[in-house]
Amino acid sequence: MTQLVTAAPTAPEGQPEQAKPPRGQFGVVNFFSQGFLLLWAAMVVLPLLWAVMSSLKTDKEILSSPWSLPASPQFDNFGRAWNSGHIGTFFVNTVIVLAGGVTITMVVGSMAAYVLARYSFPGNRVIYYAFVAGLTLPIFLALVPLFKIVGNLGTIPVIGPYIGLNSYAGLILVYVAFSLPFTVFFLHSFFRTLPTEIAEAGLLDGASHTTLFSKVMLPMARPGLISIGIFNVIGQWNQYLLPLVLLQQQSSFDSDHSVLAEGLLNLAVTQGYKSDWSGLFAGMTIAMLPMLVIYVLFQRQVQAGLTAGTLK
Amino acid sequence: MKFRRLPFIAGFLFVPVVLYVIYVVSPFVQTVFYSFTDWGGFSNTQNFIGVGNYVRLLQDDIFLKAVLHNAFLLVLMPVVTILLALFLAFMLNVGGRGDSAGIRGVRGSSVYKVVLFFPQVLSVAIIVVLFQSVFRTDGRGLLNGLLIALGLVDPNKPVQWFNSPDLVLWCLLGVMVWSGVGFYMVLFSAAMQSIPKEIYEAALLDGASRGPTFFRITLPLLWENISVAWVYLGFIALDGFALVTGLTPDSGGGGPDHASELISNVLYRTAFTQGKFGLACAMGVALAVFSLLLAIVQLRITRRDRIEF
């Protein structure tokens, strides 16, 4: 115990301060900390509430009385944003890309992490460190050639149009590849902690390596899979740079595959010209609420997933 | 058993490694190669020009400005975010009433943790749209409206925020801090809770008050988390692409009058608007070098003996 305290470099040793008057002082501290926490909470919540409130106003109300409640809630702002603002399309695009991206990331990432964590073979370290090195390099380093590579893949006969620029699968594969370093790194450490005896027992019972992985190891790694799954959902949902570069429409006939992030920012520009502020706020509310609802429902897992995901 | 092992390993690694090599490894390597060429992007031919692009970067005023602006954010953003997050986490955990059972968390701490974490789950596009209206330069923006209502700002001369060359970087800094504090508060708070209660009880018995307890027990025990947070925040400060393109004036962001150019948006413009792919690749390499330096320097500065508990 004492050893732990002295391990802290500047910990004081054996110099007790004078006994202090507890109640009064702590009351003040309590008041003080409540004050600061409330202030910061207000700074977070008020702009969000204000935006949601503005999404229910008319444009005139937004400009003339930005602070007051809407006289009557204008729900057609949402219809306008969803249809003529194309938020509906962007939303569906995002869900498609996210569903594909996160599913493949989890499957492929856990396979790689498992093999790298539990089997020794020549080249194991090289592959593992190649994945981990990807963690420190900024995406901007890859950006320009990546654009060219995806463009070139698009010229491959037959499958080209599905994985080239401005295609769902093309973007999904890029998401998967860029999510791999962290997923592999995180799950690698997780698979390593699982007990060896169970794996050995399974092999003795005649289970194949594949069965062992899917029936024994994956279920045991569930907490880790949930954490990194949430981490990937939020990471890929919020991705902005990759879709901006890779979903550029190739011609005016090309369909618009934009995801919410870039769609919303484009909307911010066009609605700015049209002064359709209420439509913009409605679009923003649509983009914001699903994640906030998921977060509030699963806040414990989301917080645990994101924080464990960052510092493991 | 042995004979089925290798096919299994190869089968499991094939897809991830192929994807990784095509989409991550090869572009990284190509960027380094192209940074030594005059590749225009639209043709597939390029000439090797040695360090020509790097020489050009050193003479490029806008790029050098961008490096300075990134440095500004790199120095201030992590410090401000970490200090605020630590402060709020401390308030959250030990701000409550103290009694014989020790010091307690503040009332409603779980609600604060949920609410303050909000910005982390908002897409950067939402943050951009939100702050476009918070920082509106007429009297109708959230911030200007508030300042005018409080009588701090003349209604006829609202603050110009992102349109003011003097304020624009500070506003970017503010948005970055706003979106980062909640996450690191939750992180530090979790770390604080993993510190054994006995240590605090011992300190309490020795008569230590909150201040010394924080600086001499909590802070040293959180040191490792803080140093990792520092590196992560540094990476965010080196990026800033979506914020600067979405919030600052001029085409592609970086205005007014290049007062807020960052490496990321200069790189994007150089590549995808001006079509100078080779030069943009050199910027990418420079950015990667800064990132690596940051990680090395930061981990060396903050390195201390690990304390197990």
Side-chain angles (χ1 to χ4, degrees):
Chain A
M1 191 65 257
T2 40
Q3 210 189 345
L4 277 181
V5 177
T6 45
T10 49
E13 214 178 346
Q15 31 171 290
E17 290 174 32
Q18 294 303 305
K20 33 195 62 282
R23 288 301 141 108
Q25 189 209 356
F26 286 148
V28 173
V29 176
N30 195 8
F31 182 74
F32 179 73
S33 46
Q34 279 287 0
F36 269 99
L37 287 164
L38 267 179
L39 180 71
W40 196 268
M43 280 173 63
V44 170
V45 175
L46 284 183
L48 298 178
L49 279 182
W50 183 70
V52 174
M53 186 179 83
S54 301
S55 73
L56 292 167
K57 292 174 160 184
T58 61
D59 286 316
K60 214 170 142 209
E61 281 176 319
I62 289 179
L63 293 181
S64 61
S65 47
W67 294 91
S68 54
L69 287 166
S72 62
Q74 305 288 317
F75 290 108
D76 60 314
N77 291 340
F78 286 83
R80 210 168 57 248
W82 186 267
N83 296 317
S84 63
H86 304 294
I87 288 291
T89 322
F90 302 147
F91 198 91
V92 174
N93 291 342
T94 311
V95 171
I96 293 174
V97 173
L98 197 65
V102 174
T103 313
I104 301 179
T105 304
M106 296 305 290
V107 171
V108 172
S110 58
M111 279 161 52
Y114 175 69
V115 170
L116 292 173
R118 305 207 57 116
Y119 292 83
S120 61
F121 56 91
N124 182 317
R125 297 273 88 184
V126 176
I127 298 178
Y128 175 68
Y129 282 119
F131 276 119
V132 174
L135 281 176
T136 55
L137 295 169
I139 237 171
F140 277 96
L141 182 61
L143 202 62
V144 178
L146 186 66
F147 172 73
K148 211 72 194 171
I149 288 169
V150 177
N152 287 340
L153 288 173
T155 61
I156 296 176
V158 190
I159 57 164
Y162 297 101
I163 56 169
L165 291 170
N166 197 29
S167 68
Y168 292 131
L171 187 65
I172 288 174
L173 292 177
V174 173
Y175 275 14
V176 172
F178 278 90
S179 305
L180 275 179
F182 200 78
T183 311
V184 170
F185 172 67
F186 183 82
L187 288 177
H188 183 269
S189 66
F190 215 88
F191 280 123
R192 279 193 93 89
T193 60
L194 299 180
T196 327
E197 296 83 27
I198 300 179
E200 281 165 359
L203 283 179
L204 281 178
D205 283 348
S208 71
H209 290 288
T210 323
T211 324
L212 188 68
F213 169 70
S214 57
K215 294 274 161 61
V216 181
M217 297 315 246
L218 270 191
M220 287 207 295
R222 232 180 84 143
L225 290 173
I226 292 177
S227 291
I228 194 71
I230 290 171
F231 185 85
N232 282 327
V233 168
I234 295 187
Q236 296 188 7
W237 171 273
N238 289 344
Q239 185 51 249
Y240 167 67
L241 181 66
L242 288 174
L244 181 70
V245 174
L246 299 176
L247 290 181
Q248 296 173 8
Q249 274 157 279
Q250 299 307 296
S251 66
S252 47
F253 305 107
D254 217 358
S255 57
D256 188 356
H257 288 166
S258 301
V259 294
L260 267 179
E262 39 160 356
L264 190 66
L265 282 184
N266 286 338
L267 196 67
V269 177
T270 52
Q271 303 301 73
Y273 292 135
K274 284 193 271 178
S275 302
D276 181 5
W277 303 110
S278 55
L280 179 62
F281 280 118
M284 184 192 139
T285 307
I286 298 173
M288 175 173 81
L289 282 185
M291 266 301 153
L292 276 188
V293 169
I294 292 178
Y295 164 62
V296 171
L297 289 179
F298 299 103
Q299 40 102 0
R300 223 168 267 281
Q301 289 90 330
V302 173
Q303 287 194 351
L306 282 183
T307 48
T310 314
L311 301 180
K312 239 297 143 47
Chain B
M1 203 55 62
K2 197 86 184 161
F3 71 99
R4 275 186 295 162
R5 239 178 71 114
L6 272 181
F8 167 74
I9 292 173
F12 265 39
L13 280 179
F14 181 73
V15 176
V17 168
V18 166
L19 281 178
Y20 192 64
V21 167
I22 294 180
Y23 289 112
V24 180
V25 177
S26 89
F28 279 153
V29 174
Q30 287 183 40
T31 298
V32 178
F33 168 75
Y34 286 133
S35 73
F36 296 107
T37 71
D38 62 354
W39 186 28
F42 298 107
S43 67
N44 270 326
T45 54
Q46 64 278 136
N47 304 308
F48 187 77
I49 55 168
V51 293
N53 285 325
Y54 293 94
V55 173
R56 217 166 351 142
L57 284 188
L58 287 177
Q59 297 158 346
D60 182 342
D61 286 342
I62 293 176
F63 180 77
L64 293 178
K65 262 187 188 173
V67 172
L68 277 183
H69 297 155
N70 271 116
F72 168 88
L73 292 174
L74 193 58
V75 171
L76 283 182
M77 197 275 274
V79 177
V80 177
T81 310
I82 288 176
L83 284 181
L84 265 170
L86 269 177
F87 178 71
L88 290 171
F90 186 66
M91 290 292 131
L92 203 62
N93 282 304
V94 289
R97 251 160 29 85
D99 55 23
S100 50
I103 297 171
R104 291 192 181 152
V106 77
R107 226 161 206 272
S109 64
S110 53
V111 178
Y112 284 125
K113 266 190 233 171
V114 175
V115 169
L116 268 58
F117 197 78
F118 274 171
Q120 193 62 31
V121 293
L122 297 179
S123 147
V124 68
I126 291 169
I127 292 177
V128 165
V129 174
L130 190 66
F131 279 95
Q132 280 175 349
S133 28
V134 168
F135 284 114
R136 268 183 79 117
T137 47
D138 53 19
R140 297 172 188 126
L142 192 71
L143 218 46
N144 265 335
L146 192 71
L147 291 174
I148 290 170
L150 290 173
L152 294 173
V153 166
D154 180 358
N156 300 320
K157 272 186 262 161
V159 186
Q160 288 304 298
W161 307 121
F162 284 109
N163 283 341
S164 147
D166 301 325
L167 284 180
V168 63
L169 277 179
W170 294 97
C171 294
L172 277 180
L173 178 72
V175 177
M176 284 180 166
V177 169
W178 182 88
S179 33
V181 164
F183 177 79
Y184 289 97
M185 183 203 73
V186 169
L187 194 79
F188 293 150
S189 165
M192 281 178 190
Q193 277 166 359
S194 73
I195 299 174
K197 281 266 182 297
E198 298 87 56
I199 298 184
Y200 286 112
E201 280 161 15
L204 204 69
L205 282 178
D206 284 348
S209 60
R210 275 167 224 246
T213 313
F214 177 74
F215 285 107
R216 296 183 168 166
I217 297 178
T218 314
L219 205 55
L221 288 175
L222 285 184
W223 198 249
E224 200 175 334
N225 299 9
I226 294 173
S227 83
V228 178
W230 208 304
V231 175
Y232 273 89
L233 285 165
F235 287 155
I236 297 174
L238 279 178
D239 184 338
F241 174 73
L243 293 183
V244 84
T245 46
L247 286 170
T248 60
D250 294 355
S251 143
D257 195 22
H258 303 299
S260 65
E261 301 279 8
L262 298 182
I263 301 176
S264 55
N265 76 302
V266 174
L267 187 158
Y268 186 88
R269 193 191 305 131
T270 308
F272 297 104
T273 314
Q274 303 172 347
K276 297 176 189 159
F277 279 24
L279 190 62
C281 285
M283 292 177 183
V285 173
L287 192 62
V289 170
F290 292 141
S291 302
L292 287 177
L293 280 180
L294 163 80
I296 294 169
V297 168
Q298 210 54 260
L299 289 175
R300 282 209 83 90
I301 290 180
T302 55
R303 190 169 65 184
R304 293 209 186 166
D305 290 332
R306 196 193 173 99
I307 301 161
E308 299 280 354
F309 53 82

PDB file of all heavy atoms in Angstrom, chain A residues 80-95:
ATOM      1  N   ARG A  80     -39.360  18.160 -46.616  1.00  0.00           N
ATOM      2  CA  ARG A  80     -38.602  18.856 -47.652  1.00  0.00           C
ATOM      3  C   ARG A  80     -37.143  18.405 -47.646  1.00  0.00           C
ATOM      4  O   ARG A  80     -36.545  18.143 -48.687  1.00  0.00           O
ATOM      5  CB  ARG A  80     -38.713  20.364 -47.438  1.00  0.00           C
ATOM      6  CG  ARG A  80     -38.642  21.155 -48.717  1.00  0.00           C
ATOM      7  CD  ARG A  80     -39.042  22.602 -48.503  1.00  0.00           C
ATOM      8  NE  ARG A  80     -38.261  23.283 -47.498  1.00  0.00           N
ATOM      9  CZ  ARG A  80     -38.735  23.688 -46.321  1.00  0.00           C
ATOM     10  NH1 ARG A  80     -39.993  23.476 -46.013  1.00  0.00           N
ATOM     11  NH2 ARG A  80     -37.964  24.328 -45.466  1.00  0.00           N
ATOM     12  N   ALA A  81     -36.574  18.317 -46.447  1.00  0.00           N
ATOM     13  CA  ALA A  81     -35.171  17.903 -46.355  1.00  0.00           C
ATOM     14  C   ALA A  81     -35.011  16.468 -46.850  1.00  0.00           C
ATOM     15  O   ALA A  81     -34.061  16.145 -47.555  1.00  0.00           O
ATOM     16  CB  ALA A  81     -34.684  18.015 -44.914  1.00  0.00           C
ATOM     17  N   TRP A  82     -35.959  15.610 -46.450  1.00  0.00           N
ATOM     18  CA  TRP A  82     -35.861  14.195 -46.796  1.00  0.00           C
ATOM     19  C   TRP A  82     -35.967  13.998 -48.305  1.00  0.00           C
ATOM     20  O   TRP A  82     -35.196  13.249 -48.891  1.00  0.00           O
ATOM     21  CB  TRP A  82     -36.967  13.418 -46.066  1.00  0.00           C
ATOM     22  CG  TRP A  82     -36.887  11.935 -46.231  1.00  0.00           C
ATOM     23  CD1 TRP A  82     -37.519  11.184 -47.173  1.00  0.00           C
ATOM     24  CD2 TRP A  82     -36.118  11.024 -45.437  1.00  0.00           C
ATOM     25  NE1 TRP A  82     -37.202   9.864 -47.013  1.00  0.00           N
ATOM     26  CE2 TRP A  82     -36.350   9.729 -45.952  1.00  0.00           C
ATOM     27  CE3 TRP A  82     -35.261  11.166 -44.331  1.00  0.00           C
ATOM     28  CZ2 TRP A  82     -35.759   8.587 -45.412  1.00  0.00           C
ATOM     29  CZ3 TRP A  82     -34.681  10.033 -43.803  1.00  0.00           C
ATOM     30  CH2 TRP A  82     -34.923   8.771 -44.328  1.00  0.00           C
ATOM     31  N   ASN A  83     -36.925  14.719 -48.951  1.00  0.00           N
ATOM     32  CA  ASN A  83     -37.147  14.506 -50.374  1.00  0.00           C
ATOM     33  C   ASN A  83     -36.317  15.433 -51.251  1.00  0.00           C
ATOM     34  O   ASN A  83     -35.398  14.993 -51.919  1.00  0.00           O
ATOM     35  CB  ASN A  83     -38.640  14.678 -50.704  1.00  0.00           C
ATOM     36  CG  ASN A  83     -39.462  13.616 -50.005  1.00  0.00           C
ATOM     37  OD1 ASN A  83     -39.075  12.453 -49.989  1.00  0.00           O
ATOM     38  ND2 ASN A  83     -40.567  14.015 -49.413  1.00  0.00           N
ATOM     39  N   SER A  84     -36.631  16.738 -51.230  1.00  0.00           N
ATOM     40  CA  SER A  84     -35.933  17.615 -52.172  1.00  0.00           C
ATOM     41  C   SER A  84     -34.505  17.886 -51.714  1.00  0.00           C
ATOM     42  O   SER A  84     -33.640  18.213 -52.519  1.00  0.00           O
ATOM     43  CB  SER A  84     -36.711  18.915 -52.373  1.00  0.00           C
ATOM     44  OG  SER A  84     -36.791  19.619 -51.161  1.00  0.00           O
ATOM     45  N   GLY A  85     -34.235  17.741 -50.402  1.00  0.00           N
ATOM     46  CA  GLY A  85     -32.852  17.884 -49.946  1.00  0.00           C
ATOM     47  C   GLY A  85     -32.083  16.582 -50.083  1.00  0.00           C
ATOM     48  O   GLY A  85     -30.898  16.526 -49.807  1.00  0.00           O
ATOM     49  N   HIS A  86     -32.772  15.507 -50.490  1.00  0.00           N
ATOM     50  CA  HIS A  86     -32.155  14.193 -50.711  1.00  0.00           C
ATOM     51  C   HIS A  86     -31.566  13.561 -49.466  1.00  0.00           C
ATOM     52  O   HIS A  86     -30.763  12.642 -49.560  1.00  0.00           O
ATOM     53  CB  HIS A  86     -31.067  14.253 -51.798  1.00  0.00           C
ATOM     54  CG  HIS A  86     -31.564  14.801 -53.085  1.00  0.00           C
ATOM     55  ND1 HIS A  86     -32.505  14.152 -53.861  1.00  0.00           N
ATOM     56  CD2 HIS A  86     -31.306  15.967 -53.713  1.00  0.00           C
ATOM     57  CE1 HIS A  86     -32.763  14.896 -54.929  1.00  0.00           C
ATOM     58  NE2 HIS A  86     -32.068  16.010 -54.856  1.00  0.00           N
ATOM     59  N   ILE A  87     -31.916  14.079 -48.280  1.00  0.00           N
ATOM     60  CA  ILE A  87     -31.391  13.475 -47.059  1.00  0.00           C
ATOM     61  C   ILE A  87     -31.799  12.002 -46.985  1.00  0.00           C
ATOM     62  O   ILE A  87     -31.041  11.151 -46.525  1.00  0.00           O
ATOM     63  CB  ILE A  87     -31.896  14.245 -45.823  1.00  0.00           C
ATOM     64  CG1 ILE A  87     -31.215  15.605 -45.724  1.00  0.00           C
ATOM     65  CG2 ILE A  87     -31.644  13.467 -44.541  1.00  0.00           C
ATOM     66  CD1 ILE A  87     -29.755  15.547 -45.379  1.00  0.00           C
ATOM     67  N   GLY A  88     -33.009  11.700 -47.495  1.00  0.00           N
ATOM     68  CA  GLY A  88     -33.469  10.315 -47.494  1.00  0.00           C
ATOM     69  C   GLY A  88     -32.521   9.402 -48.256  1.00  0.00           C
ATOM     70  O   GLY A  88     -32.113   8.345 -47.769  1.00  0.00           O
ATOM     71  N   THR A  89     -32.125   9.861 -49.470  1.00  0.00           N
ATOM     72  CA  THR A  89     -31.191   9.062 -50.269  1.00  0.00           C
ATOM     73  C   THR A  89     -29.857   8.905 -49.549  1.00  0.00           C
ATOM     74  O   THR A  89     -29.296   7.814 -49.476  1.00  0.00           O
ATOM     75  CB  THR A  89     -30.937   9.764 -51.621  1.00  0.00           C
ATOM     76  OG1 THR A  89     -32.168  10.331 -52.060  1.00  0.00           O
ATOM     77  CG2 THR A  89     -30.410   8.804 -52.642  1.00  0.00           C
ATOM     78  N   PHE A  90     -29.357  10.033 -49.017  1.00  0.00           N
ATOM     79  CA  PHE A  90     -28.058   9.988 -48.327  1.00  0.00           C
ATOM     80  C   PHE A  90     -28.127   9.021 -47.154  1.00  0.00           C
ATOM     81  O   PHE A  90     -27.176   8.298 -46.875  1.00  0.00           O
ATOM     82  CB  PHE A  90     -27.657  11.365 -47.800  1.00  0.00           C
ATOM     83  CG  PHE A  90     -27.579  12.411 -48.866  1.00  0.00           C
ATOM     84  CD1 PHE A  90     -27.910  13.730 -48.578  1.00  0.00           C
ATOM     85  CD2 PHE A  90     -27.170  12.092 -50.149  1.00  0.00           C
ATOM     86  CE1 PHE A  90     -27.840  14.704 -49.562  1.00  0.00           C
ATOM     87  CE2 PHE A  90     -27.098  13.051 -51.137  1.00  0.00           C
ATOM     88  CZ  PHE A  90     -27.432  14.367 -50.841  1.00  0.00           C
ATOM     89  N   PHE A  91     -29.272   9.029 -46.487  1.00  0.00           N
ATOM     90  CA  PHE A  91     -29.442   8.183 -45.313  1.00  0.00           C
ATOM     91  C   PHE A  91     -29.350   6.715 -45.711  1.00  0.00           C
ATOM     92  O   PHE A  91     -28.611   5.935 -45.111  1.00  0.00           O
ATOM     93  CB  PHE A  91     -30.805   8.470 -44.678  1.00  0.00           C
ATOM     94  CG  PHE A  91     -30.927   8.010 -43.275  1.00  0.00           C
ATOM     95  CD1 PHE A  91     -30.597   8.859 -42.234  1.00  0.00           C
ATOM     96  CD2 PHE A  91     -31.339   6.732 -42.978  1.00  0.00           C
ATOM     97  CE1 PHE A  91     -30.685   8.434 -40.925  1.00  0.00           C
ATOM     98  CE2 PHE A  91     -31.432   6.296 -41.676  1.00  0.00           C
ATOM     99  CZ  PHE A  91     -31.100   7.156 -40.646  1.00  0.00           C
ATOM    100  N   VAL A  92     -30.106   6.359 -46.777  1.00  0.00           N
ATOM    101  CA  VAL A  92     -30.074   4.967 -47.241  1.00  0.00           C
ATOM    102  C   VAL A  92     -28.662   4.596 -47.685  1.00  0.00           C
ATOM    103  O   VAL A  92     -28.139   3.528 -47.338  1.00  0.00           O
ATOM    104  CB  VAL A  92     -31.095   4.773 -48.387  1.00  0.00           C
ATOM    105  CG1 VAL A  92     -30.976   3.380 -48.984  1.00  0.00           C
ATOM    106  CG2 VAL A  92     -32.501   5.012 -47.867  1.00  0.00           C
ATOM    107  N   ASN A  93     -28.007   5.486 -48.444  1.00  0.00           N
ATOM    108  CA  ASN A  93     -26.628   5.221 -48.880  1.00  0.00           C
ATOM    109  C   ASN A  93     -25.727   4.935 -47.685  1.00  0.00           C
ATOM    110  O   ASN A  93     -24.933   3.999 -47.701  1.00  0.00           O
ATOM    111  CB  ASN A  93     -26.068   6.434 -49.631  1.00  0.00           C
ATOM    112  CG  ASN A  93     -26.734   6.635 -50.975  1.00  0.00           C
ATOM    113  OD1 ASN A  93     -27.358   5.716 -51.499  1.00  0.00           O
ATOM    114  ND2 ASN A  93     -26.618   7.825 -51.522  1.00  0.00           N
ATOM    115  N   THR A  94     -25.852   5.784 -46.653  1.00  0.00           N
ATOM    116  CA  THR A  94     -25.004   5.610 -45.481  1.00  0.00           C
ATOM    117  C   THR A  94     -25.248   4.259 -44.829  1.00  0.00           C
ATOM    118  O   THR A  94     -24.295   3.569 -44.450  1.00  0.00           O
ATOM    119  CB  THR A  94     -25.280   6.723 -44.450  1.00  0.00           C
ATOM    120  OG1 THR A  94     -25.259   7.968 -45.119  1.00  0.00           O
ATOM    121  CG2 THR A  94     -24.241   6.722 -43.351  1.00  0.00           C
ATOM    122  N   VAL A  95     -26.524   3.883 -44.705  1.00  0.00           N
ATOM    123  CA  VAL A  95     -26.842   2.618 -44.049  1.00  0.00           C
ATOM    124  C   VAL A  95     -26.281   1.445 -44.853  1.00  0.00           C
ATOM    125  O   VAL A  95     -25.700   0.512 -44.290  1.00  0.00           O
ATOM    126  CB  VAL A  95     -28.366   2.484 -43.850  1.00  0.00           C
ATOM    127  CG1 VAL A  95     -28.719   1.089 -43.367  1.00  0.00           C
ATOM    128  CG2 VAL A  95     -28.840   3.515 -42.842  1.00  0.00           C
TER     129      VAL A  95
END
